[in-house]
Amino acid sequence: MATIADVAKYTGLSSATVSRVINDYPHVSEDKRKLVHDAMKELGYFPNTSARNLRNRKTNVVAVLIPRLTNPFFTLILDGIERVAEANGFQLIICQTKSSKKKEIDFLNLLQTKQVDGVIFTSIENEWEYIQPYTAYGPIILCNEYHHEATVPMVRLDQVQGSYLGTRHLIEKGHKKIAYCMGSTSGLSFDRRLGFFKAIEEAGIDMKSDWIFRDTYTREDGKRVFQQILQLSDRPTAIFTGGDEVASAMVKEARTHGLHVPRDLAILGFDDQPIASLIEPELTTIYQPGDEIGARAMTVFIECLNGIRERMSQAVIELPLSLVIRDST
């Protein structure tokens, strides 16, 4: 966050002069006033008095940060958030980050400039140290996604248990050569890896580095991973995809290449999106209550805004996941 010293350095003026402009003292030239105000705008600096006034002003608007609006799971979360928001007189600004660190910070500036009362994250790309300063301007809630260093309320699902259940299911089906698709370096992705490798280690199964695939989120990623699997001399017999979009693309690719699911390759999804029961074969997957987690997150946000809940406490609200067994495994 910018300081008076930063503004002074940027303008070439003294900190005392900058302070006089900020506090509207007389006997300061218009040229210097304009120079200081332009610098404040450029640097994103807000003096304490302004920040205090901004914090006391309510807009009844909430920014919801979503990585991809095309992902149906995030649409379910958004439905839950919107239902509670509407019932309590709040409006939403939907911010698609496309997993961009820069866009994430740009949208946080809506909170700093008090265009919104607070922010709900459904995914995180930046390290917490870059997000932490914005908690001074209003409630920030982590919904679905979480970060182990975060100092704000988190409404999340037990990702360790979810990936453990799915991996155990593949092992119980007799698979010993199981590939794994992983996402980002977030707390959610970290815990999914923990659950996967916990099941693998308990079963005494060896993992090959060739069977681990990174940065998999979309149908295009599913197609890419399947093509990589085809090139392996020692192919896995099952794959934990980490998402129904990735899984459905792999089912389609398998059919295109004459492979049978699950006989030649068992495929496990995650989320239980509508597509999981629409494709053939239907996907075995991990059910996540997207609507419920969104509704709970918005409820917690309102509690923080109204002082009912401490908005700077690392309160964790955890909802359960469950295994949905269908035909792809």
Side-chain angles (χ1 to χ4, degrees), residues 191-207:
D191 280 0
R192 282 194 186 176
R193 291 196 296 275
L194 283 181
F196 175 82
F197 283 104
K198 177 183 177 184
I200 291 293
E201 290 170 5
E202 284 181 358
I205 294 175
D206 293 328
M207 276 292 296

Side-chain angles (χ1 to χ4, degrees), residues 23 77 93 134 145 173 193 201 209 214 219 231 241 243-244 247 280 295 311 313 316:
N23 291 288
I77 292 177
I93 293 180
Y134 292 90
E145 186 68 273
K173 285 289 185 178
R193 291 196 296 275
E201 290 170 5
S209 59
R214 302 177 184 277
R219 286 186 288 273
Q231 302 304 315
T241 66
D244 293 338
E280 181 62 38
R311 65 183 177 90
S313 67
V316 177

Side-chain angles (χ1 to χ4, degrees), residues 102-261:
K102 181 182 182 302
K103 282 192 173 186
E104 199 170 80
I105 297 299
D106 287 345
F107 288 133
L108 276 172
N109 286 328
L110 294 173
L111 177 59
Q112 185 182 20
T113 56
K114 204 49 183 176
Q115 297 177 63
V116 298
D117 289 332
V119 177
I120 296 177
F121 279 82
T122 65
S123 70
I124 291 181
E125 298 303 323
N126 286 281
E127 292 300 319
W128 185 251
E129 63 181 299
Y130 297 109
I131 299 172
Q132 170 71 33
Y134 292 90
T135 60
Y137 297 96
I140 292 177
I141 308 296
L142 304 190
C143 168
N144 176 57
E145 186 68 273
Y146 49 93
H147 197 291
H148 294 300
E149 295 179 3
T151 54
V152 297
M154 292 176 273
V155 182
R156 50 175 278 189
L157 302 162
D158 190 345
Q159 301 295 334
V160 175
Q161 179 67 5
S163 58
Y164 178 83
L165 286 173
T167 309
R168 282 296 311 170
H169 170 69
L170 294 174
I171 293 169
E172 289 166 1
K173 285 289 185 178
H175 295 283
K176 295 184 178 180
K177 298 163 68 173
I178 305 174
Y180 179 69
C181 290
M182 60 191 295
S184 66
T185 57
S186 67
L188 182 151
S189 295
F190 178 81
D191 280 0
R192 282 194 186 176
R193 291 196 296 275
L194 283 181
F196 175 82
F197 283 104
K198 177 183 177 184
I200 291 293
E201 290 170 5
E202 284 181 358
I205 294 175
D206 293 328
M207 276 292 296
K208 289 191 172 184
S209 59
D210 288 347
W211 298 344
I212 299 177
F213 302 93
R214 302 177 184 277
D215 300 320
T216 56
Y217 308 99
T218 66
R219 286 186 288 273
E220 290 73 21
D221 294 330
K223 183 176 181 179
R224 168 179 57 82
V225 169
F226 188 86
Q227 295 294 334
Q228 291 175 332
I229 288 175
L230 286 181
Q231 302 304 315
L232 296 177
S233 56
D234 186 13
R235 295 180 188 172
T237 62
I239 183 163
F240 180 109
T241 66
D244 293 338
E245 286 187 272
V246 175
S248 62
M250 296 187 73
V251 168
K252 180 180 178 181
E253 287 298 303
R255 186 183 301 115
T256 300
H257 289 83
L259 298 180
H260 184 274
V261 177

